[in-house]
């Protein structure tokens, strides 16, 4: 293998949204840096199953009104 072509692989801390943290190895940052997550499996709707409808009158409302009469014929 060629020398000096791979990034530095070191230990960092990952801080979850609820305050828990763990150590892992990564190429991100420097040795001992802390990666603070804004979204993680404990808060993201894809993992929690809690979905909220944020835009009920804007783009989503336009879509519903435009395609409300669309039916499939068999």
């Amino acid at each position: 293998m060629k020398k000096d072509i791979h990034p530095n692989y070191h230990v960092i801390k990952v801080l979850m949204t609820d305050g828990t943290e763990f150590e892992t190895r990564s190429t991100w940052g420097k040795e001992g840096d802390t990666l603070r997550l804004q979204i993680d499996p404990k808060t993201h709707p894809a993992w929690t199953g809690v979905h909220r409808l944020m835009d009920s009158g804007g783009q989503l409302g336009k879509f519903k009104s435009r395609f409300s009469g669309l039916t499939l014929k068999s």
Side-chain angles (χ1 to χ4, degrees):
M1 286 197 322
K2 293 182 180 179
K3 292 183 180 182
D4 301 325
I5 63 166
H6 299 288
N8 183 18
Y9 194 59
H10 49 272
V11 176
I12 64 166
K13 287 183 184 177
V14 177
L15 183 63
M16 306 283 274
T17 56
D18 66 349
T20 59
E21 60 183 43
F22 63 92
E23 288 187 350
T24 187
R25 294 178 55 83
S26 175
T27 59
W28 179 86
K30 298 180 298 236
E31 178 80 29
D33 279 354
T34 301
L35 176 63
R36 289 177 172 80
L37 299 179
Q38 295 176 351
I39 297 175
D40 62 18
K42 295 179 182 179
T43 60
H44 194 278
W47 288 287
T48 61
V50 178
H51 296 273
R52 288 181 283 220
L53 196 57
M54 301 299 274
D55 184 21
S56 60
Q59 292 292 329
L60 186 58
K62 289 178 188 176
F63 179 84
K64 285 182 178 179
S65 65
R66 182 181 297 159
F67 296 107
S68 62
L70 186 64
T71 59
L72 297 176
K73 295 180 182 179
S74 35

